[in-house]
Amino acid sequence: MESVPVQLGDRSYDIRIEAGSLRHTGRFVTELFGSNPRKVGVVTTRTVAELYLDTVFDSLAHEGMEVIPVVLPDGEEHKTTATWESILTRFIEARFERNSLIVALGGGVVGDMAGFAAATLLRGIPFIQVPTTIVAQVDSSVGGKVAVNHPLGKNLVGSFHQPRGVWIDTRVLTTLDHREVISGMGEVIKHAVIRDKTFFAFLETNLEQIMGFHAPDPVMERFIAWNCRIKAGVVSEDEREGGVRAILNYGHTVGHALESVTGYGRFKHGEAVLIGMLAAGSIAAARSLLDEHELERQNALILRTGVRGRVDDIETDSLMDAMRLDKKVQEGRIRFVLPEGIGRASIYSDVTIAEMREGISRMLDICRVQYQAESLHERRTGI
């Protein structure tokens, strides 16, 4: 088992990482809360419910808790205020009290929506994260950012509400489809580029083994814990994104715009982040913040994940318009996180429109070449 503390004063909590631990979720809750809570709401999706809801339900019930499941449809397109309201309605009908608990069982979308429900129900009740995707285990379950999307932009309706704990079973990742694995690597590579050059080198050596789940349990636990320590370190310095925490948005400025202009249905979140890093890296290189060799290393690692996406119908102007609605805009300025070498990054508010357009143009060119090459390979091999 690996344990990672998130140091936030009286809101501190631990991230526990152990292969095969899902069946002990009830024990984790009991360790945290003792004889309370008696009512526990488990928010999940249809796909995750089929795989893991019974295990978590039985584990909680074994500890004497009344379990109320809420099973949502899959997909980012359902991360809406309407879905959030439906979660609240179910728990209000179940007569939840302030000592009741919400368990977020699933990926980043579930964690965000369940966390936002916990933040707003009865002006705030506790919740824990039980993440089942790479994105959620290494990033979105840690740090307390909870939100839903608005038609005008991603995560525009939300709050900061820290979980009381995070319970991670690395073995559940083996049931992910390949695109979910690729998506997870968006946040993983982001962490390495902005914060840890040693971790970046580890990924260069071990990427395929990690993505194929060929690594033994201790290596997978270490891999997840390494990411969590990076995220927890940043969050502990800046809980509410008043300063350094904004570096965690590397790749997200353009990535969120990609998700928005395609209706949140074409790209998974981490795929969009991977592609967004191509644009931000190009801007950094044009400013001589990132040398060409480092840019090549970043881009090569990104493309090794197998990320791809049709961009032939995406225009630079539409991405620019979406970026202007991003919640990270300050005083009308679009802020960019730019790497200053592998393992370091800073926030820049002076990126010009011309620089943005050039970075996006280079990103789209790389994506088009990659998409065409892989499509040709598929036609030739029949894969």
Side-chain angles (χ1 to χ4, degrees):
M1 175 188 281
E2 298 267 357
S3 184
V4 178
V6 183
Q7 303 287 359
L8 293 169
D10 60 1
R11 293 177 306 287
S12 297
Y13 54 93
D14 288 332
I15 306 162
R16 306 268 188 89
I17 304 138
E18 182 179 7
S21 61
L22 194 69
R23 66 186 185 276
H24 302 305
T25 304
R27 185 192 70 198
F28 179 65
V29 172
T30 299
E31 288 177 2
L32 286 176
F33 298 97
S35 60
N36 283 314
R38 304 317 317 160
K39 289 185 179 180
V40 179
V42 179
V43 180
T44 189
T45 63
R46 291 169 187 162
T47 297
V48 177
E50 290 177 4
L51 294 166
Y52 303 122
L53 180 56
D54 285 348
T55 299
V56 173
F57 189 108
D58 291 347
S59 179
L60 294 166
H62 181 74
E63 296 291 329
M65 302 169 202
E66 179 186 352
V67 185
I68 298 93
V70 175
V71 181
L72 307 174
D74 294 282
E76 179 88 21
E77 62 269 28
H78 300 291
K79 186 180 166 181
T80 64
T81 53
T83 304
W84 161 69
E85 185 175 356
S86 73
I87 298 169
L88 295 181
T89 298
R90 180 71 183 92
F91 293 150
I92 292 170
E93 290 174 345
R95 299 184 181 276
F96 267 42
E97 300 173 352
R98 283 185 173 170
N99 64 351
S100 299
L101 172 72
I102 293 177
V103 175
L105 174 66
V109 171
V110 163
D112 271 9
M113 288 197 295
F116 189 45
T120 50
L121 180 62
L122 304 176
R123 295 189 177 135
I125 69 171
F127 84 112
I128 67 167
Q129 294 270 15
V130 184
T132 61
T133 66
I134 297 177
V135 169
Q137 290 190 0
V138 305
D139 185 69
S140 59
S141 68
V142 182
K145 287 171 99 175
V146 294
V148 295
N149 297 335
H150 186 277
L152 293 179
K154 185 178 173 70
N155 294 334
L156 292 180
V157 182
S159 182
F160 287 90
H161 189 59
Q162 297 295 340
R164 295 288 292 274
V166 182
W167 188 244
I168 294 176
D169 180 350
T170 54
R171 288 183 190 164
V172 303
L173 300 178
T174 61
T175 59
L176 294 176
D177 68 43
H178 190 57
R179 279 192 64 194
E180 281 291 353
V181 176
I182 294 171
S183 180
M185 299 315 293
E187 303 296 348
V188 169
I189 293 174
K190 174 199 77 177
H191 285 154
V193 173
I194 66 170
R195 201 72 168 180
D196 196 326
K197 64 181 180 181
T198 303
F199 185 45
F200 189 93
F202 170 85
L203 294 175
E204 287 182 306
T205 302
N206 296 284
L207 185 72
E208 284 74 21
Q209 185 185 34
I210 293 291
M211 291 185 69
F213 304 112
H214 303 308
D217 285 338
V219 174
M220 290 302 297
E221 290 173 3
R222 179 187 176 217
F223 161 71
I224 297 297
W226 203 334
N227 279 278
C228 289
R229 288 191 181 95
I230 291 171
K231 178 72 180 282
V234 174
V235 170
S236 295
E237 290 180 49
D238 177 19
E239 181 182 2
R240 300 180 72 86
E241 202 171 297
V244 69
R245 183 168 177 170
I247 68 170
L248 293 169
N249 292 315
Y250 181 52
H252 286 58
T253 301
V254 176
H256 283 171
L258 275 170
E259 291 180 272
S260 179
V261 301
T262 55
Y264 302 103
R266 183 182 306 181
F267 298 99
K268 293 185 179 295
H269 173 65
E271 292 175 323
V273 169
L274 285 165
I275 294 169
M277 286 192 284
L278 297 175
S282 292
I283 293 170
R287 288 188 162 211
S288 299
L289 299 172
L290 192 67
D291 68 37
E292 286 298 325
H293 174 64
E294 290 171 315
L295 179 63
E296 289 172 6
R297 286 179 67 196
Q298 175 200 261
N299 291 358
L301 191 62
I302 289 170
L303 296 180
R304 276 173 59 191
T305 67
V307 67
R308 59 179 291 183
R310 182 172 57 85
V311 298
D312 57 288
D313 61 337
I314 297 176
E315 298 179 352
T316 300
D317 286 341
S318 63
L319 290 174
M320 293 292 297
D321 289 342
M323 286 159 55
R324 291 186 181 97
L325 292 173
D326 192 276
K327 63 186 179 300
K328 296 179 291 298
V329 171
Q330 286 189 348
E331 297 179 355
R333 292 179 178 271
I334 300 172
R335 296 193 299 164
F336 267 83
V337 180
L338 300 179
E340 300 168 335
I342 300 296
R344 304 188 313 278
S346 294
I347 302 101
Y348 289 81
S349 298
D350 62 345
V351 180
T352 67
I353 298 298
E355 287 177 297
M356 293 180 206
R357 295 182 69 89
E358 180 62 22
I360 290 171
S361 177
R362 292 183 181 182
M363 172 197 80
L364 293 175
D365 286 344
I366 293 170
C367 289
R368 290 186 187 105
V369 170
Q370 182 79 353
Y371 187 79
Q372 291 168 359
E374 294 194 8
S375 297
L376 179 61
H377 175 74
E378 288 175 2
R379 289 196 298 271
R380 286 177 173 174
T381 61
I383 296 176

